[in-house]
Amino acid sequence: MTPNRPTMNDVARTAGVSLKTVSRVVNGETTVAPELAARVHAAVESLDYRPHLGASMLRRNDRRTRTIGVLLDDVSHPFSAALHRAVEDQARAGGIHVLTGSLDRDPVREKALTAAFAERQTDGLILAPSGAELDPHEMPVVYVDRVPTGATGDTVVSTNVSGAAGAVRHLIAHGHRRIGFLGGDRHLSTARDRYAGYQRALGRRAGPAVHDLHDPTDAERAAVSMLRTADPPTALFTTQSMVTIGVVRALRRLGREHSVALVGFDDFPLADLLDPPVTVVAQDPARMGRTAATALFERIDGHDGPPREIRIPTTLIARGSGEL
Amino acid sequence: MTPNRPTMNDVARTAGVSLKTVSRVVNGETTVAPELAARVHAAVESLDYRPHLGASMLRRNDRRTRTIGVLLDDVSHPFSAALHRAVEDQARAGGIHVLTGSLDRDPVREKALTAAFAERQTDGLILAPSGAELDPHEMPVVYVDRVPTGATGDTVVSTNVSGAAGAVRHLIAHGHRRIGFLGGDRHLSTARDRYAGYQRALGRRAGPAVHDLHDPTDAERAAVSMLRTADPPTALFTTQSMVTIGVVRALRRLGREHSVALVGFDDFPLADLLDPPVTVVAQDPARMGRTAATALFERIDGHDGPPREIRIPTTLIARGSGEL
DNA sequence: GTGAAAGCGCTAACAC
DNA sequence: GTGTTAGCGCTTTCAC
């Protein structure tokens, strides 16, 4: 057997003091005689003692684990990854640690992971909701990217409707009248809101639309079909970067990248190096992550106001593909 | 005050059984009369009881938290993010959860986070080491991406030397004799190994080299200077994707993207859509993550063989930029 | 099959 | 200032 990790009792014995004195020193209380404190520190060093956070939190009055959960669509997706990193940075400033999970928009997995995090006593949750939430997560939750239906909690989302409308108006301003829409999962508020923005900008002249696209492959296929119809759109609006990328591939394949305009919602790395460079409505995932983390920490610290719906502005970045 | 979460005691009282019977039911032991078990289940439902993992693990014989730590350079970097995701998927299969952190190659942060994870009793660690490790992490550690000096533990790395040598030989095969090198932090085995591969392929005809580059901005500047020297290289080899991207920008800026060849170590999204498409030595971060997770779980389960150094093969993907 | 008592590592409350 | 006792929520051990 490996030797067990030393406990406070071991430290107390080697330092020749009581358990409680060790506890005081370890927790930085100042009401300990310097000489005793020194002996405790020496014992901690020599035994390589590390406090057991689980045990201390079990007895402590403020039952905090100083750990939060972050549940996003896919930690390897650039948007989720940037948001995750920003949460982590914000958390580090407060000595908070982060449990992560990818949900792939699967409500079953969402339920399993929120339950598992609750068993681990996370202090709160940042969650990209799968759709309808039933609430009792038994801890503060801040929703990101999408507004859940039925749940109460702070929400941090992009200005999806106005961002999408702005993108489409940009295309209209460049002379386009027939504008195709390629979007994601309509169960989610994000896709619905961006479609609403598209419709608002076009009024009753809305063009062909394909929904429920997830990955570049689906999107490429959908775009090719759309452009091969009898009266094809002269411009396309896409609602997420994975769809945008698929559409870029489709346009290349058809040799139409310089004749069909494109604006995508959500920026992505290297969009500016493509030919033509891709015009996007950029979100600010880092700011979303920081904002969500800040809101969550306020809730954990007892803030008890009504649910807040925080909208993070988007920015249209004209690079070329939207100005054809 | 918010009502406290129910405990096993509360469940026992509502079900009219002893605490221990609840414990048995919750842990799925079969030695409980069906009728009692049913009453317990009903009480669990009605109180919305959730076991307290920290408390159970405190008393349990196999002191497992079923949580591991994953510490990488930057969870928002595509390579780290893909590796992270693969670890998560492998962990999920075993009901294991993941604490994450970005180290930015900072040994201070590495020390702080490994200590914090140890206090949280993680069962093991997957770590991209900052350099020299002092070992006692008090738990199994699998190193990824880089080989640490001075530590013992399984390591999962790409075939860096042969991958780099292959890339350079590819350039030589396309007629290049003067090949520049742009690489990362020489404190780390990754950069050193890739430089060794470069040197091995070129023998004494090694070209100009710039080291310790991290981000695209630095790399762009370095590449511009290198190409403006008296006897500039006709081809470039870069050792990481962020450097490769900076070099692509430099070549564009100088209008040399079709005259100076480029092969980069580590693939990146959209490399195939650039002009010219970028030839790379692709790593397999997903496989690295799966392999590291598998190795770690074996160690956690008591496997006690000598440290293993597992090499994941790389693949040269010729796309155009390396065949000029 | 079920339950009572002890104790995991630590902190709270209260004595000295 | 320091130590003692009790107990956080749970599992173990062992008695019934």
Side-chain angles (χ1 to χ4, degrees):
Chain A
M1 279 298 295
T2 55
N4 277 326
R5 277 168 64 153
T7 74
M8 259 190 186
N9 237 317
D10 301 326
V11 176
R13 207 172 312 118
T14 22
V17 297
S18 82
L19 207 186
K20 179 66 218 187
T21 301
V22 178
S23 170
R24 280 194 253 265
V25 173
V26 167
N27 289 291
E29 293 177 32
T30 50
T31 61
V32 178
E35 202 213 283
L36 288 197
R39 262 157 54 197
V40 170
H41 279 127
V44 164
E45 283 294 305
S46 80
L47 296 177
D48 193 27
Y49 167 77
R50 267 185 218 307
H52 186 304
L53 209 93
S56 86
M57 107 83 158
L58 191 57
R59 193 63 180 83
R60 211 182 261 285
N61 276 341
D62 93 337
R63 285 143 117 26
R64 300 277 172 79
T65 52
R66 306 191 72 70
T67 303
I68 61 169
V70 174
L71 292 172
L72 304 173
D73 287 345
D74 175 0
V75 294
S76 73
H77 183 291
F79 175 83
S80 296
L83 199 155
H84 171 200
R85 176 63 204 250
V87 170
E88 187 198 311
D89 288 343
Q90 200 73 14
R92 180 172 36 249
I96 307 291
H97 294 87
V98 177
L99 271 166
T100 50
S102 301
L103 300 179
D104 293 330
R105 302 182 311 280
D106 176 352
V108 176
R109 204 184 291 172
E110 176 183 323
K111 213 173 160 191
L113 281 170
T114 52
F117 285 7
E119 292 184 10
R120 281 166 176 74
Q121 320 298 124
T122 52
D123 298 333
L125 213 55
I126 291 178
L127 174 63
S130 306
E133 302 296 303
L134 296 166
D135 239 1
H137 293 279
E138 309 169 26
M139 56 182 145
V141 181
V142 172
Y143 298 97
V144 288
D145 190 37
R146 303 186 281 260
V147 183
T149 62
T152 59
D154 297 334
T155 309
V156 178
V157 290
S158 291
T159 52
N160 288 310
V161 179
S162 62
V168 175
R169 275 196 296 266
H170 183 78
L171 288 168
I172 295 171
H174 282 83
H176 295 281
R177 291 297 170 267
R178 189 152 171 79
I179 301 171
F181 175 96
L182 295 112
D185 192 338
R186 271 172 302 178
H187 290 122
L188 306 177
S189 74
T190 328
R192 280 200 312 271
D193 287 351
R194 293 173 194 171
Y195 187 58
Y198 164 85
Q199 288 184 304
R200 178 194 289 179
L202 283 171
R204 61 200 61 197
R205 292 190 307 206
V210 182
H211 298 275
D212 303 320
L213 300 168
H214 295 315
D215 56 66
T217 317
D218 292 346
E220 181 174 347
R221 200 167 330 163
V224 168
S225 318
M226 189 183 282
L227 292 169
R228 280 186 175 152
T229 52
D231 182 20
T234 64
L236 300 174
F237 171 61
T238 54
T239 66
Q240 6 166 51
S241 61
M242 289 300 136
V243 173
T244 309
I245 289 167
V247 170
V248 167
R249 293 189 191 280
L251 292 172
R252 288 281 182 96
R253 182 137 70 92
L254 300 173
R256 304 288 304 276
E257 72 267 32
H258 290 288
S259 56
V260 175
L262 171 65
V263 178
F265 205 107
D266 194 19
D267 200 6
F268 54 94
L270 304 187
D272 63 317
L273 281 183
L274 299 183
D275 176 40
V278 180
T279 295
V280 297
V281 179
Q283 303 189 81
D284 192 341
R287 184 167 161 197
M288 294 175 79
R290 280 193 305 272
T291 306
T294 304
L296 181 61
F297 297 149
E298 287 170 9
R299 294 291 180 180
I300 291 171
D301 290 342
H303 173 72
D304 199 25
R308 297 170 283 189
E309 196 166 316
I310 305 170
R311 310 195 109 79
I312 305 297
T314 52
T315 319
L316 189 121
I317 305 178
R319 292 193 178 114
S321 75
E323 295 75 42
L324 300 174
Chain B
M1 278 297 296
T2 54
N4 277 326
R5 277 168 61 155
T7 72
M8 259 190 187
N9 238 316
D10 301 324
V11 176
R13 208 172 311 117
T14 18
V17 298
S18 82
L19 206 187
K20 177 63 218 186
T21 300
V22 178
S23 170
R24 280 194 253 265
V25 173
V26 167
N27 290 291
E29 293 176 32
T30 49
T31 61
V32 178
E35 201 214 282
L36 289 196
R39 262 156 56 197
V40 170
H41 279 126
V44 164
E45 283 295 305
S46 80
L47 296 176
D48 193 28
Y49 166 77
R50 265 184 219 308
H52 186 304
L53 208 93
S56 85
M57 109 82 159
L58 192 56
R59 194 64 180 82
R60 212 181 262 285
N61 276 341
D62 92 336
R63 284 144 114 31
R64 299 277 172 78
T65 53
R66 306 191 72 71
T67 303
I68 62 168
V70 174
L71 292 171
L72 303 173
D73 287 345
D74 175 0
V75 293
S76 72
H77 183 292
F79 176 83
S80 296
L83 199 154
H84 171 200
R85 174 65 204 250
V87 170
E88 188 199 310
D89 288 343
Q90 199 73 14
R92 179 171 37 250
I96 307 291
H97 294 87
V98 177
L99 272 166
T100 49
S102 300
L103 300 178
D104 293 331
R105 303 182 309 279
D106 176 353
V108 175
R109 202 182 294 170
E110 176 182 323
K111 213 174 161 189
L113 281 170
T114 51
F117 285 7
E119 291 185 10
R120 281 166 176 73
Q121 320 297 124
T122 51
D123 297 333
L125 213 55
I126 290 178
L127 174 63
S130 306
E133 300 298 302
L134 296 165
D135 238 1
H137 293 278
E138 308 170 26
M139 55 183 146
V141 181
V142 172
Y143 299 97
V144 286
D145 190 37
R146 304 185 282 259
V147 182
T149 62
T152 58
D154 296 334
T155 309
V156 177
V157 291
S158 291
T159 51
N160 288 309
V161 179
S162 62
V168 176
R169 274 196 296 266
H170 183 78
L171 288 167
I172 294 171
H174 282 82
H176 296 281
R177 290 298 170 267
R178 190 152 171 76
I179 300 171
F181 175 97
L182 295 111
D185 192 338
R186 270 171 304 177
H187 291 121
L188 305 176
S189 72
T190 328
R192 280 200 312 272
D193 286 351
R194 292 172 195 172
Y195 188 58
Y198 164 84
Q199 286 184 304
R200 177 193 289 180
L202 283 170
R204 61 200 60 197
R205 291 189 306 206
V210 182
H211 297 276
D212 304 320
L213 300 169
H214 294 319
D215 55 66
T217 318
D218 292 345
E220 181 175 348
R221 199 166 329 160
V224 168
S225 320
M226 189 182 281
L227 292 170
R228 279 184 176 153
T229 52
D231 181 20
T234 64
L236 300 174
F237 171 62
T238 54
T239 67
Q240 7 166 114
S241 61
M242 289 300 135
V243 173
T244 308
I245 289 167
V247 170
V248 167
R249 293 189 191 281
L251 293 171
R252 288 280 182 99
R253 181 138 71 91
L254 300 173
R256 305 288 304 277
E257 72 268 32
H258 290 287
S259 56
V260 174
L262 169 65
V263 179
F265 205 107
D266 194 17
D267 201 4
F268 54 95
L270 304 186
D272 63 316
L273 280 182
L274 299 184
D275 176 41
V278 180
T279 295
V280 298
V281 179
Q283 303 189 82
D284 192 342
R287 183 166 163 197
M288 292 175 80
R290 280 194 304 274
T291 306
T294 303
L296 181 61
F297 297 149
E298 286 170 8
R299 294 290 180 182
I300 290 172
D301 289 341
H303 173 72
D304 198 25
R308 297 170 282 189
E309 195 166 316
I310 305 171
R311 310 195 110 79
I312 306 296
T314 53
T315 319
L316 189 121
I317 304 180
R319 294 193 176 114
S321 75
E323 295 74 41
L324 301 174

